[in-house]
Amino acid sequence: MTEYTDHHGPEGLLVRGTVVVVPGRGETRATYGRFGRRLAADAYRVRVVDAPRPDADDPEGALTRFAALVADAVAGAAGAEGVAEPVVLVGADSGAAAVAALLAREERFLPAGRPHAVVLAGLPGPDTAFTGGGWDDELDARTSCPAHRGTLTGDEQVRRGSLGEPVPGALLDAAYGGDIAVPVLLLAGDADPLADHPALARLAKALPKARLSVVRGAHHDVLNDLQHRSVAAEVVTFLETLRNELRPLVAVESSAW
């Protein structure tokens, strides 16, 4: 039976939407505890699923199984009044590639056309690879946040060395195909050794509704690096803008910076 980790908002508040978080290579649901709690504090229902398992020999079968996992996660997150909308998928690393590939292949794999939007964080470049040595090198590629480094190191279920495992080419080809109709927030650290920034820029321009946000000083684990507060705020801003039909709620008229 598939298991999830749920983060609920403050009691008594209207749930503003449903967010399903999809971890990346080697990560566990615990990796996104801090991120999930922060979004839940703003009254979003957050459910973290297990990382998908890509299959280079059977990419279609792997996507079908992933679609079933996501559909089950969304359906199970329903409250007394049904699933709180909008429904947004947040994928990190290979999870981002799986989410993008799934939406590119089948936009309406959930009832009523859900999900309504996606966040792709730390999407690996099609021609990038981690070639570091031991665990310290992998941590350096992932993050400079002491708390996140401690979370990864202390979690016995985290697969060390997983960042060196290649993401199937078919998955990345689909992810970078630019065929996602729903709104997309792309998040990338400018210090991410696995990011292909020109390819991300091309993808953002190719998508009909996309925003590319580059986080200064952030590494591959852009949702969990030192800038995690600002990144979570960017995600919440995207969620709130989505609820307002992609019309920004705040416009800067004058600023000294």
Side-chain angles (χ1 to χ4, degrees):
M1 181 177 179
T2 304
E3 295 182 355
Y4 313 102
T5 299
D6 288 327
H7 300 277
H8 300 277
E11 187 174 352
L13 295 184
L14 178 69
V15 180
R16 300 184 66 76
T18 302
V19 179
V20 176
V21 181
V22 184
R25 286 170 288 182
E27 298 176 329
T28 70
R29 299 192 304 273
T31 306
Y32 293 91
R34 179 174 64 183
F35 178 73
R37 291 190 298 271
R38 184 160 282 133
L39 267 58
D42 280 307
Y44 285 90
R45 173 72 183 276
V46 182
R47 171 164 281 192
V48 186
V49 303
D50 289 326
R53 297 181 179 180
D55 187 343
D57 297 324
D58 183 20
E60 293 294 336
L63 277 180
T64 299
R65 291 187 291 274
F66 177 55
L69 181 151
V70 172
D72 182 51
V74 172
E81 299 181 357
V83 176
E85 297 184 347
V87 175
V88 179
L89 304 185
V90 178
D93 180 59
S94 60
V99 167
L102 187 61
L103 269 291
R105 298 289 181 87
E106 183 59 61
E107 296 171 8
R108 304 178 69 85
F109 68 94
L110 290 174
R114 293 190 297 262
H116 301 90
V118 296
V119 177
L120 307 179
L123 181 64
D127 297 313
T128 62
F130 173 70
T131 57
W135 179 236
D136 287 341
D137 294 321
E138 184 171 354
L139 282 176
D140 290 342
R142 286 183 175 276
T143 180
S144 58
C145 175
H148 184 47
R149 291 169 74 99
T151 296
L152 292 173
T153 301
D155 187 348
E156 295 181 355
Q157 300 302 313
V158 168
R159 291 188 296 106
R160 300 189 180 193
S162 59
L163 208 57
E165 300 170 359
V167 178
L171 206 62
L172 290 175
D173 288 344
Y176 279 92
D179 192 23
I180 304 175
V182 300
V184 179
L185 172 62
L186 292 156
L187 290 169
D190 67 0
D192 181 359
L194 301 184
D196 185 333
H197 289 284
L200 287 171
R202 290 192 297 270
L203 176 60
K205 291 180 180 179
L207 295 171
K209 300 175 183 177
R211 176 188 180 108
L212 171 59
S213 297
V214 178
V215 184
R216 295 176 180 173
H219 298 75
H220 187 60
D221 292 2
V222 66
L223 296 176
N224 281 307
D225 212 347
L226 280 174
Q227 307 82 355
H228 57 89
R229 295 175 183 84
S230 296
V231 172
E234 179 75 0
V235 174
V236 171
T237 298
F238 175 63
L239 296 174
E240 292 295 307
T241 303
L242 181 67
R243 285 173 51 87
N244 198 43
E245 299 180 344
L246 291 183
R247 296 193 302 269
L249 291 161
V250 178
V252 178
E253 291 192 8
S254 179
S255 175
W257 62 87

